[in-house]
Amino acid sequence: MGFEPLLLLILAFSVLVGLTLGLLGGGGSILMVPLLTYVAGMDAKQAITTSLFVVGVTSLASLAPHARAHNVRWAPGLIFAAASMSGAFLGGLASSMIPGPVLMVAFALIMLASSWNMIRGRRSAPAATHRARSLMLFAPVGLAVGLVTGLVGAGGGFLIVPALALLAGLKMQEAVGTSLLVITLNSAAGMLGHLNSTTINWPLTLSITAAAIIGSLLGARLTAKIPEKKLRRGFGYFVLVMGLIVLMQELPAPANLLLPTAAIAAGGGWFFGQRRPGAKPSNSY
């Protein structure tokens, strides 16, 4: 990529990708795949494969400061990762049989679902039910998250964080730190599945990865200083807008206008419903 201002823009956004990973334990690929597709000019499958590498290495880098802060629960993280890595590898293999535009539409739908979870928050399950449910659900939930990772290049952070919080009973900061362990392993497995059918532009990829690592280390240091709930909701609205843009780019007319309009109407209805007198605010993870 010889156009220097464009390269600088890509690197600046890559720092933002790393920042979200370090702060929230996820969200990197939600930004990285559209960045590589629409700004760097990669096709969908190359963007997904590159995203898996960048997000995996960046998650590994930001895992260290979280581990030093005792925010990583290794046992539940490795158990969850064991199930999800199988799904990630299978999803990476299956993606070679799916057209790029279909993968991008699927990715946009994941973005919308993630933004909904970030904005709305999740109700905490009763503490007594955590241990009873975790062993039964870790394998199927981990496998499903891994399939998403392999198919559309999403590291799964915004699926992994609530899963760890609800199924393993982890505190939010522990779920964020532990999710980075799972994302690192998921991304590696998913990328191996994609490399059978896709090549990587290594000079550009390594530059993007370095920028993202800088952002992730900064994000990990800011975790305890920024109110997580406000940050999560603000980022949720940003992801919502990005998902709608991807849908409008990839869907044929008139679906490219009808589906985003329906999503905006549904989100607006929920938002104003939350604001009406007597409505109970949703809880965070």
Side-chain angles (χ1 to χ4, degrees):
M1 179 170 297
F3 186 41
E4 188 173 339
L6 183 58
L7 177 59
L8 292 176
L9 178 64
I10 293 170
L11 295 179
F13 275 113
S14 299
V15 173
L16 179 60
V17 168
L19 191 65
T20 63
L21 275 168
L23 275 170
L24 299 176
S29 52
I30 285 177
L31 293 175
M32 183 57 71
V33 172
L35 169 66
L36 295 174
T37 303
Y38 302 121
V39 181
M42 296 183 184
D43 64 62
K45 294 184 179 181
Q46 187 181 26
I48 288 170
T49 308
T50 303
S51 171
L52 287 168
F53 177 85
V54 175
V55 170
V57 174
T58 305
S59 298
L60 180 61
S62 56
L63 178 64
H66 279 280
R68 287 195 296 269
H70 305 289
N71 289 335
V72 179
R73 295 283 298 276
W74 297 95
L78 290 172
I79 293 171
F80 193 93
S84 61
M85 285 176 70
S86 302
F89 182 73
L90 293 174
L93 290 176
S95 69
S96 63
M97 299 178 286
I98 302 174
V102 174
L103 289 174
M104 289 304 295
V105 170
F107 186 82
L109 295 176
I110 294 294
M111 292 177 76
L112 296 182
S114 297
S115 69
W116 173 257
N117 285 333
M118 285 183 280
I119 295 167
R120 181 176 64 93
R122 287 181 181 270
R123 299 186 180 276
S124 298
T129 67
H130 284 312
R131 286 185 294 274
R133 295 193 304 166
S134 61
L135 290 179
M136 291 187 295
L137 295 179
F138 253 41
V141 172
L143 185 64
V145 170
L147 283 170
V148 171
T149 298
L151 277 172
V152 301
F158 287 113
L159 301 174
I160 296 166
V161 170
L164 290 171
L166 293 175
L167 301 182
L170 303 188
K171 297 176 182 177
M172 185 63 190
Q173 287 186 339
E174 291 177 338
V176 167
T178 306
S179 76
L180 293 168
L181 170 65
V182 181
I183 292 170
T184 300
L185 298 174
N186 271 2
S187 298
M191 190 184 73
L192 288 175
H194 277 273
L195 284 177
N196 286 330
S197 58
T198 311
T199 58
I200 291 180
N201 180 343
W202 286 110
L204 177 61
T205 299
L206 293 176
S207 299
I208 291 172
T209 303
I213 288 173
I214 293 171
S216 74
L217 296 177
L218 177 62
R221 293 177 65 89
L222 292 174
T223 301
K225 299 180 180 180
I226 298 179
E228 184 276 331
K229 184 176 180 180
K230 291 183 179 179
L231 180 69
R232 173 175 49 78
R233 285 189 172 178
F235 188 72
Y237 286 114
F238 178 70
V239 171
L240 174 63
V241 172
M242 290 291 293
L244 294 174
I245 290 174
V246 172
L247 281 180
M248 288 188 286
Q249 289 282 337
E250 300 294 339
L251 287 174
N256 63 337
L257 296 178
L258 293 177
L259 189 56
T261 301
I264 293 171
W270 173 85
F271 179 82
F272 289 110
Q274 289 287 305
R275 298 297 178 185
R276 73 178 187 275
K280 293 182 179 180
S282 57
N283 299 324
S284 59
Y285 295 127

